[in-house]
Every structure is written in structure tokens, then in C-alpha cells.
Amino acid sequence: MTRNLNAANLSRRQCLCAIALLAPAITAVGQQPTAPTRTTELRTTGTTSLPVQSRVYRLEGATNAPVVVTAIAADPRGQYLAVSGDDHVIRILSAANYRVVHKLTGHRDLIRSLAFDPAGEKLVSAGNDGQLMLWDRGDAFAQLQVMSGTPAIARVRFAPDGREMAAVGFDNEIYLIGRTVRPRSVLQCDCNDLRAVAYREDGAVIAVAGRSGDLHLFHPERGELSSEHPLHKGRIHDVVFHRQSNIAVSVGEDGDVTVFDTRERKLRHRVNVTTGKLFAVAVLNSHSVAVAGSDNVIRVVNTDVGEVTQTLEGHRGSIAALAASDDGLVSGGFDAMLRRWSIADIVTYGARIADADGSVGR
């Protein structure tokens, strides 16, 4: 049964506490930045003479009209892919053949964020309608719970243990949803128009970013801001952590990719990859990420050395979303196409070219 939480008659704090009590399934001071050790302009060690091939899939709406992709989430079990479109529908695709196996409806406006919990048991969606919806994989992705009445939400992510979610939107608040014992369930950030949130894998840090271009690091257990670091000239759109690592990678409207050590609080690399805007970043392996945005191109960045090792071309519109599984990178955006790229092809091919010119080791 779906539980509806109307926040019109509740304060935000009351609403968040209410969903925490209703969701046992989920219960599970500023420091100056260190000067960067390396700043580079675009240096590509790959080549486009033998481009990496992608498989292309088109999403179609009720009238066979193309559907613009707004968000993508990869199932950690490798069975499904969740994709939202500008028709406000979430499609659950089979990862084997990309056929639609479920259509999830209920959102009334643009869906900006999708995420599976680490166990792959639940999917969360959120967007411009101020609704955060939880979907139950074990019940054919039936709607499990709804939180409504919040401001528009730009990003929501599960904690590494799956017992909590963090959500940010177009104001300065970070909502922590799920745990019943928490000193503060709503954190305040010195930045409006928040677009990105990510948990470090040890759960000890939440990274938040938005309009200011600063990376804000919070201590979730204490509910306090730990430090702030100016990384971008303009809005940050996405932040991810490398797996089992202190390294956070961010992308923004300045076309830069930054590689930041959140334990040492040190900027490792800054790579300017485009004169356009970057909207999305996805982790490929322990030393590579994919980034994409308004110039229709995906770039693979080696975060160990701060260099672009490969470019992936084929989209004919801005790329709004990226998601990576163990074997594939999926991209989507304004051209209403999903493209699937083999991570083995990307990494192996990029490393082979890099070794050949001596720029990057394996």
C-alpha cells in the first residue's frame, strides 16, 4: 500500500521525521583549501581514429514521440536500468535487451534524480514536483512510499548502508531521510540552488554542491559542516566518490573536472575538458570516470593523473545523465537516445593508446 505524506500541513522537519518513522525498510568548521597540485588544460591521450562503438536505443512515449532522457540509474544487481523521461514516466528496462518491463507513473513534473539502494531492493525518484517516491523492486516496482510538499529536488542518493537518503534541491537545505536517531534531519548549507549530493563510502562524509561552485563537506552523524572548498567557477552539477576512496570528483558549468581528496582536503587535479557545461559524472573503475554535458561528447578522465584518455562521440544533443554498472556505461539526454558503451572497450582501448604514446600507464 502506498503511504502519502502531505507536507502542506507539516513543517519540513515534521515531514522528514514522519517518513523516517514510516520507512523502517530504509532505516537501515570551514578550512581553507590547499593549493592544487596540478592544473591542466585538455590533454587527450586517446584518439578518435578508431572510435569506441555504442549500442543505441530510443525511448518512445505514448504517441511514439521521442522521449528526452532526464535521469538514469543502474541496478547494482545488473538486471535492470531505470530511466526517466520528459514525459514524467520512469521506465524499468531489462539490462539484457533494453526492453521496457515496467512503467512507473505518479510524478507530475520533470524527474531529475533516480537512485537504487546499494542492495538493489528499492528505487528512489525525485524532481521538480517536490515529490520523493520510493519503489519496491520485490513487488514489481510498486510505489511503496511518497513524500510530498518539499521544494523541487535536484538530487537524491542512498547512504552506503542503504539505511538513509540525502536529498538536495533549489534552496540551501540538505534533507536526511530514514534514520530515526539523528541530531538534525535538515542541514543548512551556505549555498542556494543545490544540485549535487554524494556519500563517501565509509559514510563519514556527505559532499554537497550547487550554485556557488564550492564543495561543502558535512559530517552526517554530528549534522555539522566540516569544511568548504571553492572548486569551480560557477554551478556544480554533479559529484561522485570513487569506490572505497576519499576522492571526490565534481563537474560544473565551467567545463572543469576536479579531483579532490576529502581526507587531506587537497585538490589533486583540475582538468578543463570543454568550453561548454558539464552535467554528469559516473565512476567507471578505481582510476577512471566518464563526464558529459552540453557539447554532446563523453570524455573519460584518468583521475590518478588528471588527463582525458578517451572521447566517446555519437550523441546529437546535450547529455544530461550517465550511469555505470560493472560492465557498461549508459548515457542519455536531449537527443532522446540511450547509448550503451562497453567499459572494457573504453578502458582497454584508452589504456592501449596511452601506453603507445607513453603518457599514461595502466
Side-chain angles (χ1 to χ4, degrees):
M1 178 181 295
T2 301
R3 295 169 177 163
N4 293 284
L5 298 174
N6 189 334
N9 299 318
L10 294 173
S11 69
R12 291 177 184 170
R13 183 180 298 276
Q14 289 172 320
C15 187
L16 290 166
C17 290
I19 195 170
L21 293 172
L22 287 171
I26 311 176
T27 52
V29 181
Q31 183 171 342
Q32 291 300 316
T34 306
T37 59
R38 181 172 186 173
T39 300
T40 64
E41 293 300 313
L42 173 61
R43 180 182 177 190
T44 304
T45 57
T47 176
T48 57
S49 61
L50 294 173
V52 175
Q53 299 298 313
S54 62
R55 298 183 65 180
V56 184
Y57 306 87
R58 178 180 176 181
L59 295 182
E60 294 183 346
T63 60
N64 294 326
V67 175
V68 170
V69 176
T70 62
I72 307 172
D75 170 19
R77 302 184 193 178
Q79 185 178 0
Y80 296 119
L81 188 74
V83 182
S84 62
D86 62 350
D87 59 354
H88 315 155
V89 175
I90 302 167
R91 292 164 175 81
I92 305 298
L93 311 181
S94 165
N97 53 27
Y98 278 54
R99 292 181 180 174
V100 177
V101 294
H102 301 289
K103 287 187 177 182
L104 314 183
T105 59
H107 281 285
R108 300 185 297 269
D109 205 335
L110 203 68
I111 301 165
R112 290 186 173 270
S113 187
L114 295 170
F116 280 95
D117 74 319
E121 296 175 353
K122 293 176 175 60
L123 174 73
V124 65
S125 60
N128 286 0
D129 60 2
Q131 295 191 102
L132 187 150
M133 298 185 179
L134 200 63
W135 310 87
D136 185 1
R137 179 205 191 108
D139 190 18
F141 288 93
Q143 194 179 89
L144 182 63
Q145 291 166 344
V146 179
M147 175 183 171
S148 60
T150 65
I153 297 174
R155 191 82 63 180
V156 59
R157 289 291 181 262
F158 279 96
D161 63 5
R163 297 172 58 201
E164 179 179 271
M165 294 179 290
V168 297
F170 302 103
D171 58 14
N172 68 336
E173 295 182 323
I174 304 107
Y175 306 104
L176 303 180
I177 307 163
R179 297 186 199 271
T180 56
V181 179
R182 186 59 96 185
R184 298 174 63 192
S185 58
V186 181
L187 310 181
Q188 301 289 327
C189 185
D190 187 23
C191 174
N192 288 314
D193 191 9
L194 298 175
R195 298 297 181 97
V197 62
Y199 285 86
R200 200 168 71 186
E201 194 162 309
D202 62 4
V205 172
I206 298 177
V208 178
R211 179 189 296 169
S212 69
D214 297 347
L215 183 69
H216 308 267
L217 303 180
F218 285 85
H219 191 291
E221 292 300 326
R222 295 197 299 264
E224 298 175 353
L225 177 68
S226 298
S227 60
E228 296 179 319
H229 308 274
L231 296 184
H232 291 265
K233 296 177 181 178
R235 184 180 285 106
I236 296 174
H237 277 278
D238 202 3
V239 175
V240 296
F241 277 94
H242 269 302
R243 304 178 189 106
Q244 299 179 337
S245 171
N246 303 313
I247 299 300
V249 183
S250 61
V251 296
E253 293 190 356
D254 55 5
D256 285 358
V257 180
T258 69
V259 182
F260 187 82
D261 189 323
T262 59
R263 186 173 298 278
E264 296 185 9
R265 295 177 181 176
K266 182 176 182 180
L267 182 61
R268 296 294 185 184
H269 304 289
R270 177 190 306 280
V271 188
N272 181 258
V273 304
T274 177
T275 57
K277 301 176 181 180
L278 292 176
F279 299 141
V281 55
V283 174
L284 302 181
N285 57 28
S286 62
H287 59 269
S288 297
V289 299
V291 302
S294 63
D295 66 356
N296 313 345
V297 176
I298 300 168
R299 293 174 178 86
V300 179
V301 178
N302 183 309
T303 54
D304 287 348
V305 297
E307 291 180 350
V308 175
T309 59
Q310 185 60 271
T311 59
L312 309 178
E313 300 180 351
H315 280 285
R316 298 181 178 178
S318 293
I319 300 167
L322 298 171
S325 60
D326 289 340
D327 60 351
L329 171 69
V330 181
S331 55
F334 291 8
D335 60 0
M337 296 291 181
L338 281 176
R339 287 182 176 268
R340 185 189 183 281
W341 316 79
S342 166
I343 290 179
D345 289 348
I346 296 169
V347 175
T348 301
Y349 181 66
R352 186 171 66 247
I353 298 301
D355 281 349
D357 68 11
S359 300
V360 181
R362 288 183 185 272

